[in-house]
Amino acid sequence: MNKNTILVTGANGEIGHGLIEHLAKSDGVQIVAIDMNPMDKSIKAKCHKAIVGDILDFGLLETLSTAHDFDTIYHLAALLSTRAERQPTLAHRVNVDGTLNLLELAITQSRLQGREIKFIYPSSIAVYGLPDVVTKHKSGKVKENQWCEPRTMYGINKLYNEQLGRYYTHYYRQLDVEPARGRVDFRGVRFPGLISALTVPTGGTSDFAPEMLHQAAQHLPYDCFVREDTRIPFMAMPDAIKALLHLQAAPRERLSRLVYNVGAFNPSAGEVYARIRNDFPDAKVGFLPDQKRQVIVDSWPEDVDDSTARTEWGYNPEYDFERAFSEYLIPAIRNRYDTPSKQNNR
Ligand code: AKB
């Protein structure tokens, strides 16, 4: 049987782990994974090929393109917002030049195979840039075309990459005698902060919520770097994976946009702490805002309007705030750190 070959970049990251778990369950799929770091054993075992390498390495991408016929590319590799702010030129290289390289790989593949290649891209709420907290509160649920004035290198990179996706989908080499239009089918979701029970994020600015939870589960204190009243949207990792897979599978004619907001719940940092204490009563969190990281989070919306994703491709998160904790995060995190349940503590 001919298998669908899927390329996943940044495969060893948070989203990569969950995505590969899911993709590997489907029959007729083979995964080629690439990451800067050696792949975790559990993930590596599920891949047809697991390559340690750099998306800035043209030679490596060319070899990949010669060796495989890719159907879909999930381009997850990126430097997140805090890390990108500390190393802006490196961030630009990885986030923008890296994405351009992958889009070029996609277009080469479409020429070689004579068909469209799907390019699935996780964008972010970091593309938004609200000027101050008062405007943030007043704006409520932000729509895709509002406040697209990011103040971070990461947000700027993501917003520009969305535009590159539009260019490669609709206008690529438009002056050619026979323009190769529509050869890349770019689809993106603007993710909120993601919370996974299985992995801890690194280098992000929404990391305060997952860090708080993972520290509590290990009975370790945590200094939260934002104010208690800080509010941004979050999503449980299984819903993020589901969103990528559903958007990938949606018929193109149902989609009016290339990039969609997706949200699930939007607790304040204080509400996250209160919810964690229900299950880990000894959790100790101090709120010690880092003014510079606070300004970044304050520029992100307190919620997103994801009605277009819901209408056009049936986006429908399974986990609201309470369910995310009671049915996914708490049981899985106890399992991970082998923490006895509240009942056993009594
Ligand atoms: C980050 O904090 O940089 C990311 C994001 C919101 O995209 N988690």
Side-chain angles (χ1 to χ4, degrees):
M1 182 174 71
N2 263 351
K3 292 200 167 192
N4 279 352
T5 305
I6 296 179
L7 176 63
V8 182
T9 72
N12 202 42
E14 278 219 291
I15 303 177
H17 272 80
L19 181 67
I20 289 173
E21 288 283 347
H22 267 77
L23 290 173
K25 284 184 198 146
S26 338
D27 286 334
V29 160
Q30 63 181 12
I31 302 162
V32 176
I34 172 166
D35 200 285
M36 284 288 279
N37 299 309
M39 231 72 76
D40 291 350
K41 266 195 203 135
S42 59
I43 296 298
K44 194 172 173 180
K46 299 193 159 100
C47 296
H48 170 65
K49 260 197 199 151
I51 299 150
V52 179
D54 190 345
I55 54 168
L56 297 177
D57 178 347
F58 288 120
L60 173 62
L61 297 186
E62 222 170 271
T63 310
L64 277 180
S65 196
T66 316
H68 302 281
D69 283 348
F70 295 116
D71 295 86
T72 302
I73 296 171
Y74 289 88
H75 174 41
L76 313 178
L79 253 57
L80 298 187
S81 54
T82 291
R83 171 101 197 269
E85 222 42 50
R86 298 201 164 118
Q87 293 174 287
T89 48
L90 175 66
H92 195 278
R93 275 201 294 280
V94 174
N95 294 348
V96 176
D97 297 348
T99 301
L100 190 69
N101 290 350
L102 266 299
L103 284 164
E104 276 295 320
L105 184 147
I107 211 103
T108 306
Q109 282 276 309
S110 89
R111 277 210 217 95
L112 292 172
Q113 298 183 48
R115 62 183 175 127
E116 246 173 29
I117 306 297
K118 280 190 188 159
F119 194 100
I120 312 300
Y121 183 67
S123 188
S124 162
I125 51 162
V127 302
Y128 298 112
L130 290 116
D132 50 60
V133 182
V134 176
T135 316
K136 168 169 167 149
H137 292 327
K138 266 203 218 141
S139 302
K141 287 182 180 229
V142 165
K143 288 186 193 304
E144 282 92 347
N145 57 358
Q146 295 178 309
W147 300 111
C148 286
E149 287 165 24
R151 59 185 299 153
T152 61
M153 180 51 112
Y154 172 73
I156 291 165
N157 296 163
K158 288 283 182 190
L159 192 58
Y160 177 67
N161 286 344
E162 293 178 3
Q163 296 303 317
L164 278 180
R166 200 161 69 89
Y167 174 74
Y168 273 78
T169 299
H170 293 307
Y171 308 115
Y172 181 72
R173 295 186 67 123
Q174 56 196 299
L175 297 183
D176 284 5
V177 178
E178 281 183 44
R181 292 179 62 224
R183 310 305 288 164
V184 171
D185 180 358
F186 180 94
R187 302 172 180 206
V189 280
R190 288 183 182 162
F191 277 137
L194 301 178
I195 315 185
S196 165
L198 307 178
T199 47
V200 192
T202 45
T205 321
S206 63
D207 294 0
F208 61 88
E211 282 175 0
M212 208 187 281
L213 174 64
H214 282 262
Q215 291 290 102
Q218 298 170 83
H219 305 287
L220 296 170
Y222 180 65
D223 287 340
C224 181
F225 58 82
V226 294
R227 289 186 318 266
E228 212 170 333
D229 67 348
T230 304
R231 193 180 292 280
I232 56 167
F234 282 100
M235 182 188 284
M237 190 57 82
D239 277 328
I241 305 305
K242 217 170 79 178
L244 291 174
L245 296 172
H246 283 189
L247 180 58
Q248 191 278 345
R252 178 31 84 199
E253 61 277 9
R254 300 273 316 266
L255 307 179
S256 67
R257 311 185 51 85
L258 260 56
V259 183
Y260 292 84
N261 277 344
V262 286
F265 45 87
N266 68 331
S268 68
E271 287 163 357
V272 173
Y273 178 33
R275 181 60 193 83
I276 289 171
R277 259 189 319 199
N278 277 350
D279 285 273
F280 299 106
D282 65 349
K284 293 249 168 329
V285 174
F287 289 90
L288 301 171
D290 167 338
Q291 286 317 325
K292 293 179 177 158
R293 290 179 96 187
Q294 180 74 57
V295 170
I296 292 177
V297 183
D298 285 345
S299 76
W300 293 348
E302 65 177 33
D303 207 353
V304 287
D305 179 340
D306 58 11
S307 52
T308 314
R310 288 175 190 258
T311 315
E312 294 188 3
W313 48 276
Y315 171 67
N316 186 16
E318 209 174 310
Y319 297 104
D320 61 16
F321 184 46
E322 182 45 40
R323 266 194 89 186
F325 275 81
S326 58
E327 293 182 28
Y328 164 62
L329 292 167
I330 300 291
I333 216 159
R334 281 196 193 288
N335 205 14
R336 175 179 170 161
Y337 297 114
D338 211 11
T339 319
S341 71
K342 225 174 18 178
Q343 281 82 352
N344 296 340
N345 281 339
R346 283 185 186 139

